[in-house]
Every structure is written in structure tokens, then in C-alpha cells.
Amino acid sequence: MSKLWGGRFTKSTNELVEEFTASIEFDQQFAMEDIEGSIAHVTMLAECEIITRDEASQLIRGLKIIEEKINNGLVDYAVENEDIHMNIEQMLIDEIGPVGGKLHTGRSRNDQIATDIHLYVNNKTKEIIKLVESVQAAFIKQAKANIAVIMPGYTHLQRAQPILFSHHLLAYFWMLERDKQRLNDSLQRVNWSPLGAGALAGTTFPINRERTAELLGFDTVYPNSLDAVSDRDFVMEFLSIASIMMTHISRLSEELVTWSSQEFDFIELDDSFCTGSSIMPQKKNPDVPELLRGKTGRVHGNLLGLLTVLKGLPLAYNKDMQEDKEGLLDTVKTIDGSLRLLAPMIETMQVKQDNMYNAVDQDYSNATDIADYLVTKGLPFRQAHEIIGKIVLYAIEHKKYLLALTLEEYQSFSNLFEEDIFVVLEPKHVVDARNSTGGTAENQVRKQLQQAEEVLAGTSTS
């Protein structure tokens, strides 16, 4: 098969080179974007009288026939045609004859693939935003259902202070909200049109780049043709946002795995999101969160891979840039699958309220409240801190928790202690005492829930 670009060459491409350089195996996923861009380009060419209206009609009709065939799985892509652009162009020539060769007038594969990727990232970003919102909704649902459930809060993976489980869940809501904001903000840079930049220097044809940008829904055109064909900042930005999002998902997954263990036994994931052991029949493995945690590494790797590819490239387009696609496609697939699994897994999670409360009731995480108690009695915090340290050490040595100590034992450390210390140490009191904005008091969490619901509904004014 002769190449569509083969006029300058006297030898056929080495078969190994052909296989090594072909991108059709993965860039066929841009087929719809490629056809969309081509239809806009042809429409503009006819409006600018670069091709006739009849030629444009034939080209658009042929492209829509090919689009239908692709959607129905009736297309075989050829490695010899290298990429999605040349495959579609060859199909078009086969479908409508030599006029199909006019499709490429006034553009290059360099601006064509850049356009495809811009359209693809735009579409996928909007889809991912919707999926993020479904996970946020699952967090809100679980938080509302468990609004008053008390659990240990941790720092350094050591029990620190009692908190509400709903408060803990909503921390992930806000992480995802920032991810969503980053995705929305990135669309400003995704929606630049490179179409019409040509190979690197523009084109001699009197095209109208603003018109194709309008037809494709772009906000603006690249002002510089070199930048237009060589820019992959928007892909790096997408991969960066995806990496941050997967880090958030991985942190959550780690907690789900930990909370599911017998040692914690705070939650139980639905059977449909777990697997068993081939040899140990008692096992219920949290495979989904484990894999979510594991797949974070590949998303991080895709970002690092593209950064490495681009770091030494001169302007404008270089074949190295073919390596921008597989990591992008893999990341989109990973993020999409992760979010689709995460929402129902969170929504169906069983919360073991008693186990969480018992953990708080049998530790020293209310120690800070004793210090605060002494401060309200007039003692400087640093002195109070020292006293409480001694009380905790005494309680540990006597195998008692703080609520189990007697008033006499407390007064042996300070005569400021009174009977009301036992009210202060109750887990619910400890939680509700943290009534500052954004705190874990139930009153504050209810306000936070309302804010989260308003943000998700798009009605928040904050």
C-alpha cells in the first residue's frame, strides 16, 4: 500500500519501523474527535471558498458514513496507515473517491492531532467532573446517616481526639471539591484551538481559524502556530490533577482497608466490592480499595512519563510527542473506573457505630480536654499540659482510662479538679466542645453538611 505521504520516498518503510512508529493501536480512541474536527475544518474550507460547497457536502457525507461504521464496529484499522488521521482519510477516499484527498487541505497532522486531544480532554474532563459529584453525593449520604457517630481521630496513626465519623467523611468531600475546581479551571486552557496552525507555521490558504474554533466549541485560538502544535501543557495539567485526585482516593482507600481489618472493625464493605481467598475460607478481602490504592502509582507514573518526554524537546512538533497519548488514555480509564466504583462502595458501606464508640471510650484521646479544663480554671496551658501528662502516665501504670479515675486521684495532681471533670471527659461532650467553625461538634458538622449540599447543587454563595 502506498503511503499518503509517500511521494518523496523511493523505498517502502521497513516493516519493523512501520509497527514501531504506528499509533493506530491507541489513537483510534480519538476517532470521534478526529471526525468532529474534520467536519468543522471542511465546513470552514467551503465557507472560505477554498473548496466548493459540493465537495464539502461529499466530504461531510463520507465522514458521517465512516463515523456510523466506527460506531457499529464495522471498521478495520490498518497499521500501514499509521494513525487515526491517515486511516480515516484513506477510508474517506475509498468511500467517496479522489475528492476525499481534499480533506487535508490547509492543515497538518500536527495541528490535527493537537485538536483531537484538546477535544478529547475537554469531553473527558466534563465526564469526570460528573463522576466526582456522584462520589461527593455518596459521602454526603453516609455522613447524614451517621451524623452523630463518634470515632477516634488520629494523628501519626495514634488516637488523638474523638471526632464525628461524619466529619471525617466530609474531609474527603472537600478534597474532591478542590479536585473538581481544578478540573473546571483547567478547561480554560483546554479550550484553545490549534486547528489551522498547520505543521508549525500556519498555512498559505485563506482559512478562518476563529470559525473552526466556534464550530468546535473552543473559547479561543492559539495566537502562535509553533505553540499550537507543540503545546501539551493541558495534558500535563490533566495528568497532574488526576494524580492529585488519585492521591486523595488512595488515602481514603488506605483508611477503608484499615477500618475493615479485625483490629479496627469500624466498617464492613459490601460483599459486592470484596473477594475471598482461594485457601482461607474465612477471608473477606477489600480488593477494590487495595486496587484503587495501587492504581494511583500508574497515574503518577503517566504524569512523570510525559514530563520526561517533553522536557528536552525543541519547537515545534517531534515524533516523541506520540508518547503523550497512551498515558493520557490509561489515566482517563483508571480515573473513570475508580470513581465509578468508589461511589457505590461508599454508599453501601456498613458503619459499626458501637465499635467506633468503644474505641473512643477506651483510650486517652480526651486528655487534651483535661488540660483545657484546667486552663478555664486559671492555670497556664503549659503547666496544665505537664499535669495531664503525669495523669495519663499514672492511669497507664494503673491500667485505668481517664473516666475511670476517681476525683480523689485527680485532686492528688491538682486541687483545681472538681466533680464536673467527669462531664468534660464524656466523648460526646469532648466532641461537642469543639464548636469552632469547621470543628467536629455536631452543630458544626450539620452546618458543613448543608454547605456541602449547596456546593454540590451549585447554589452555594461561599
Side-chain angles (χ1 to χ4, degrees):
M1 181 184 294
S2 62
K3 302 290 186 183
L4 293 177
W5 45 259
R8 180 253 183 265
F9 289 79
T10 58
K11 288 184 178 181
S12 299
T13 308
N14 180 289
E15 186 177 333
L16 291 176
V17 171
E18 202 162 68
E19 292 178 4
F20 188 71
T21 60
S23 60
I24 188 59
E25 181 181 347
F26 47 86
D27 69 14
Q28 61 184 264
Q29 294 185 56
F30 302 129
M32 294 301 104
E33 287 81 7
D34 199 72
I35 290 172
E36 182 184 1
S38 290
I39 290 174
H41 181 66
V42 166
T43 301
M44 179 273 297
L45 290 178
E47 290 176 356
C48 294
E49 299 182 350
I50 297 169
I51 62 175
T52 68
R53 299 278 180 178
D54 180 62
E55 288 170 335
S57 295
Q58 292 182 61
L59 291 166
I60 292 171
R61 177 180 60 81
L63 287 166
K64 289 184 175 179
I65 290 171
I66 293 167
E67 180 180 41
E68 186 177 354
K69 286 182 177 180
I70 292 172
N71 284 329
N72 291 327
L74 303 175
V75 164
D76 292 320
Y77 297 103
V79 172
E80 309 87 68
N81 285 329
E82 302 172 13
D83 55 38
I84 189 60
H85 325 300
M86 304 299 273
N87 267 270
I88 288 177
E89 186 172 336
Q90 186 62 61
M91 291 177 206
L92 187 61
I93 292 169
D94 293 342
E95 186 69 41
I96 66 173
V99 72
K102 293 198 172 189
L103 176 66
H104 210 54
T105 306
R107 70 176 181 181
S108 161
R109 282 188 290 177
N110 293 355
D111 62 336
Q112 190 176 355
I113 186 55
T115 302
D116 289 359
I117 300 175
H118 273 276
L119 291 171
Y120 177 84
V121 172
N122 179 289
N123 293 335
K124 294 304 178 183
T125 296
K126 291 174 180 176
E127 289 176 15
I128 289 168
I129 287 170
K130 293 296 183 186
L131 291 174
V132 169
E133 289 175 342
S134 70
V135 179
Q136 288 180 296
F139 280 125
I140 286 176
K141 184 176 181 179
Q142 274 286 15
K144 290 174 78 171
N146 297 281
I147 185 69
V149 174
I150 298 174
M151 69 174 291
Y154 294 83
T155 62
H156 308 278
L157 205 56
Q158 304 296 312
R159 292 182 192 173
Q161 293 175 341
I163 61 172
L164 292 183
F165 181 60
S166 52
H167 189 56
H168 195 123
L169 289 180
L170 287 174
Y172 287 104
F173 175 95
W174 298 112
M175 289 183 206
L176 290 175
E177 181 60 25
R178 292 192 297 275
D179 292 329
K180 195 172 70 179
Q181 289 174 0
R182 278 185 278 267
L183 287 168
N184 271 310
D185 182 68
S186 72
L187 290 173
Q188 297 177 60
R189 290 165 291 283
V190 173
N191 288 329
W192 287 34
S193 175
L195 191 56
L200 75 161
T203 177
T204 59
F205 292 96
I207 63 171
N208 185 340
R209 291 187 62 204
E210 288 74 17
R211 177 58 175 149
T212 49
E214 178 188 9
L215 290 168
L216 292 170
F218 288 119
D219 297 331
T220 188
V221 299
Y222 277 87
N224 184 292
S225 59
L226 288 165
D227 186 38
V229 297
S230 62
D231 173 36
R232 294 298 183 269
D233 291 0
F234 67 101
V235 181
M236 288 189 287
E237 185 173 7
F238 176 84
L239 295 178
S240 177
I241 296 168
S243 293
I244 295 171
M245 188 187 304
M246 283 303 295
T247 298
H248 293 155
I249 292 172
S250 184
R251 295 182 74 178
L252 169 66
S253 297
E254 168 64 18
E255 297 204 300
L256 295 178
V257 170
T258 302
W259 293 343
S260 298
S261 68
Q262 260 186 294
E263 286 70 20
F264 277 73
D265 200 23
F266 286 174
I267 64 165
E268 182 170 353
L269 297 176
D270 191 82
D271 283 0
S272 57
F273 296 98
C274 299
T275 65
S277 165
S278 62
I279 190 172
M280 296 168 283
Q282 82 281 8
K283 294 286 296 297
K284 180 178 177 179
N285 300 327
D287 279 10
V288 171
E290 287 175 356
L291 266 177
L292 291 174
R293 188 176 58 187
K295 285 181 180 293
T296 300
R298 70 190 295 151
V299 174
H300 290 181
N302 290 335
L303 170 60
L304 185 58
L306 183 58
L307 288 168
T308 305
V309 166
L310 294 174
K311 72 175 182 61
L313 295 187
L315 296 180
Y317 184 85
N318 298 270
K319 192 66 170 178
D320 315 48
M321 292 170 69
Q322 184 170 292
E323 291 297 308
D324 64 352
K325 299 169 192 63
E326 289 180 274
L328 169 63
L329 294 166
D330 180 72
T331 293
V332 166
K333 180 180 179 182
T334 302
I335 285 281
D336 183 275
S338 298
L339 294 171
R340 288 182 191 277
L341 280 170
L342 196 53
M345 184 170 65
I346 294 298
E347 197 169 317
T348 58
M349 176 176 68
Q350 178 190 342
V351 179
K352 298 186 177 182
Q353 303 181 15
D354 291 342
N355 291 355
M356 287 187 179
Y357 185 85
N358 290 338
V360 168
D361 202 34
Q362 298 177 12
D363 66 11
Y364 303 96
S365 62
N366 47 2
T368 302
D369 291 75
I370 308 179
D372 292 344
Y373 172 86
L374 291 178
V375 168
T376 63
K377 301 282 186 177
L379 195 68
F381 179 80
R382 195 49 59 198
Q383 292 180 37
H385 188 284
E386 183 179 357
I387 289 172
I388 306 314
K390 292 177 180 178
I391 292 175
V392 170
L393 179 61
Y394 172 87
I396 292 171
E397 289 174 344
H398 289 78
K399 296 182 171 53
K400 290 183 176 182
Y401 294 110
L402 296 176
L403 270 170
L405 296 177
T406 65
L407 180 59
E408 289 73 20
E409 285 173 306
Y410 275 112
Q411 290 176 337
S412 68
F413 292 94
S414 172
N415 58 11
L416 294 175
F417 285 110
E418 299 179 37
E419 195 69 38
D420 59 350
I421 182 61
F422 298 107
V423 175
V424 169
L425 291 176
E426 285 291 337
K428 188 174 188 320
H429 186 279
V430 171
V431 168
D432 284 340
R434 282 155 176 81
N435 198 31
S436 55
T437 300
T440 194
E442 185 175 335
N443 175 54
Q444 291 297 329
V445 174
R446 288 188 182 278
K447 289 180 182 178
Q448 185 188 165
L449 257 174
Q450 181 180 351
Q451 185 182 1
E453 289 182 305
E454 289 172 355
V455 164
L456 194 57
T459 59
S460 175
T461 56
S462 60

